[in-house]
Amino acid sequence: MRITHIDAIEVLDSRGNPTVEAALQLEDGSEGRAMTPSGASTGMHEAAELRDGDSHRYGGKGVQKAVAGIRDEIAGALANKDPGEQRALDRLLCELDGTPNKGRLGANAILAVSIAYARAVAASRKLPLYRHLGGDNAVTLPVPCLNVINGGRHADNTVDFQEFKIVPHHAASFAESIRMGEEVFHALKKLLQKHGLSTGVGDEGGFAPNLHSNEQAIELIIAAIEAAGYRPGEQVALALDPAASEMWHHGRYRFFKSNQSEIDSQAMTALWSDWLQRYPIVLLEDPLSEHDWDGWSEATRQLGNRVELVGDDIFCTNPELLQRGIREGVANSILIKPNQIGTVTETLDCVEQAKAAGYGCYVSHRSGETEDTFIADLVVAIGCGHIKTGSGCRGERTAKFNRLLRIEHELGSRARFAGRAAFVR
């Protein structure tokens, strides 16, 4: 099926910054469209976004160069051609860019075209995207991990750790799980109001109050779970993303927003060990820095049989980095963010590599999101069983939840809810 038209425009993400939207049409009239997100807390090995750097437009964050690359170079290379399978299209895009990190054309441009092509082919095949990517066995709905208290780079408050999440795993369906999560989210809002704390939200829709300690965030969430009528741990558990790379300072971890103290890797691992003993935490993402490979290995040795340890910054959805992690015993799960690697095929290859090594996969949004719902279809396609895409509010976050609700309804009796078993230990 030949590609007959490719176009792109500059649109806005959830932070009001520009991003890329690509549109693609096949000769039978089938169309695909995609927008790429952008992260704030980013790993140093992520594929490179292409930004204009013109201080007179959007503070230098414009993406007109990336848009022009799609309209001119990418469209010129693909027009009236039949790339065939997704892998061939993505290989062509990578070869056209010609850099190791997709920095010439921009991963933001390449990913938008890659996803748009996947959607167009799915439409041509008259299949939903999750089934086009995952086949007939793509029937597992994920546990939503809702980011209900924000800190770190995602909020201007006194909380060092970036994400405190609720995990409503004890449910019969995704729809029931979302209901449970939203009930806890609203109970938490009432609890914050009762204590005179701010209910303004951060980039991902979680509350961003000033707290007297990082532990107070845990205590408030547990109280909210109970206030909503659920049992902490048994029905609704906790997950954390400290984003420890953001705390890394000359080989130590600096608590730069709360008490200004510094601790080493051993003490950081001891902190997590203590929290795992006292609180119902089922997942720890980036508990140590992307620079601290030795610390990660030791933390995995000590904690890996107690909790899902997810590598985000340290792996960047990159097969080479993941292979090093497998070899050195780092983590037992990987965060999957398509814009970290830049194409649909490379994302799926990384998932397969992780699964073959016995690692879990955890699909994620970015803090600068769009209303594009690709990751909702992706998580069902790969059947990894859990997703993080923000809190219980903000349209760019709930768009993913709503897409998953539609997928579950469409699957009907074939739908399976992953539940507690989705979390690796």
Side-chain angles (χ1 to χ4, degrees):
M1 189 70 64
R2 291 183 302 112
I3 295 172
T4 56
H5 183 68
I6 297 178
D7 198 4
I9 60 171
E10 187 179 60
V11 295
L12 297 177
D13 71 14
S14 60
R15 282 197 287 255
N17 291 326
T19 191
V20 179
E21 180 180 60
L24 184 150
Q25 188 175 69
L26 303 178
E27 62 182 317
D28 68 351
S30 300
E31 295 181 345
R33 189 176 294 271
M35 291 178 277
T36 49
S38 180
S41 174
T42 56
M44 63 180 178
H45 296 293
E46 291 195 20
E49 291 181 326
L50 182 60
R51 299 279 179 179
D52 297 339
D54 178 359
S55 61
H56 298 292
R57 292 191 75 255
Y58 289 112
K61 294 183 178 181
V63 292
Q64 287 186 326
K65 292 179 181 177
V67 166
I70 294 174
R71 290 177 175 174
D72 299 333
E73 192 167 352
I74 293 177
L78 296 179
N80 295 312
K81 290 186 178 178
D82 177 4
E85 295 295 321
Q86 183 77 38
R87 183 174 298 279
L89 180 280
D90 290 341
R91 185 186 302 115
L92 193 155
L93 290 171
C94 292
E95 290 172 353
L96 195 62
D97 174 81
T99 67
N101 66 350
K102 302 178 177 65
R104 192 178 71 81
L105 292 172
N108 44 348
I110 290 171
L111 181 64
V113 174
S114 179
I115 294 175
Y117 184 71
R119 283 202 169 108
V121 175
S124 180
R125 296 179 64 199
K126 295 181 172 51
L127 291 175
L129 182 58
Y130 65 89
R131 190 173 170 198
H132 167 60
L133 295 176
D136 291 342
N137 293 324
V139 296
T140 299
L141 275 293
V143 180
C145 301
L146 285 77
N147 178 12
V148 294
I149 291 185
N150 293 181
R153 287 284 296 274
H154 288 178
D156 295 324
N157 61 1
T158 57
V159 180
D160 295 291
F161 301 147
Q162 188 166 281
E163 298 177 14
F164 295 80
K165 297 174 278 189
I166 54 173
V167 181
H169 59 80
H170 190 73
S173 65
F174 178 79
E176 182 180 341
S177 180
I178 276 291
R179 175 181 60 78
M180 292 166 64
E182 292 288 357
E183 288 170 359
V184 174
F185 178 72
H186 289 288
L188 178 59
K189 182 175 183 178
K190 291 178 182 177
L191 192 62
L192 292 172
Q193 290 171 332
K194 179 181 176 181
H195 287 278
L197 295 168
S198 170
T199 55
V201 298
D203 282 351
E204 298 183 358
F207 302 114
N210 283 319
L211 304 178
H212 60 69
S213 70
N214 293 303
E215 252 179 301
Q216 189 185 5
I218 295 275
E219 293 162 357
L220 285 165
I221 292 171
I222 288 176
I225 292 170
E226 293 172 336
Y230 298 109
R231 294 182 294 279
E234 186 177 336
Q235 293 176 297
V236 182
L238 305 180
L240 303 179
D241 174 12
S245 293
E246 303 294 334
M247 301 173 66
W248 185 253
H249 183 73
H250 299 303
R252 294 170 67 83
Y253 295 92
R254 173 178 285 183
F255 289 72
F256 59 97
K257 298 181 80 173
S258 55
N259 58 20
Q260 299 299 312
S261 66
E262 288 187 2
I263 62 176
D264 62 15
S265 300
Q266 186 176 359
M268 194 71 150
T269 298
L271 182 152
W272 301 130
S273 181
D274 176 57
W275 280 29
L276 290 177
Q277 181 149 354
R278 293 192 289 129
Y279 303 121
I281 298 168
V282 296
L283 181 149
L284 263 178
E285 176 192 336
D286 278 1
L288 294 166
S289 168
E290 64 183 316
H291 304 280
D292 192 5
W293 282 82
D294 290 341
W296 256 106
S297 293
E298 180 59 23
T300 305
R301 188 186 68 79
Q302 292 188 35
L303 309 177
N305 63 350
R306 298 167 59 187
V307 69
E308 180 167 347
L309 286 175
V310 182
D312 175 16
D313 291 347
I314 201 164
F315 293 149
C316 289
T317 318
N318 185 304
E320 291 182 12
L321 293 172
L322 175 59
Q323 189 57 48
R324 178 182 172 184
I326 293 167
R327 187 172 61 249
E328 297 184 17
V330 166
N332 56 24
S333 185
I334 180 173
L335 201 68
I336 300 297
K337 293 176 175 174
N339 84 316
Q340 285 183 327
I341 191 64
T343 66
V344 172
T345 301
E346 289 168 299
T347 301
L348 295 175
D349 285 349
C350 193
V351 168
E352 289 307 310
Q353 180 182 356
K355 288 182 175 182
Y359 275 51
C361 296
Y362 180 31
V363 171
S364 175
H365 63 166
R366 299 310 299 256
S367 54
E369 258 298 334
T370 74
E371 60 269 33
D372 192 296
T373 60
F374 174 74
I375 61 168
D377 282 81
L378 176 66
V379 73
V380 176
I382 66 177
C384 74
H386 47 334
I387 187 172
K388 72 166 183 172
T389 185
S391 77
C393 70
R394 295 188 57 139
E396 75 281 358
R397 316 292 158 179
T398 58
K400 281 70 165 175
F401 296 144
N402 289 339
R403 173 59 183 152
L404 287 165
L405 288 168
R406 295 185 195 105
I407 291 173
E408 185 172 64
H409 178 72
E410 182 178 297
L411 286 169
S413 62
R414 297 186 67 221
R416 299 290 179 266
F417 179 66
R420 177 65 179 81
F423 297 86
V424 174
R425 278 194 299 178

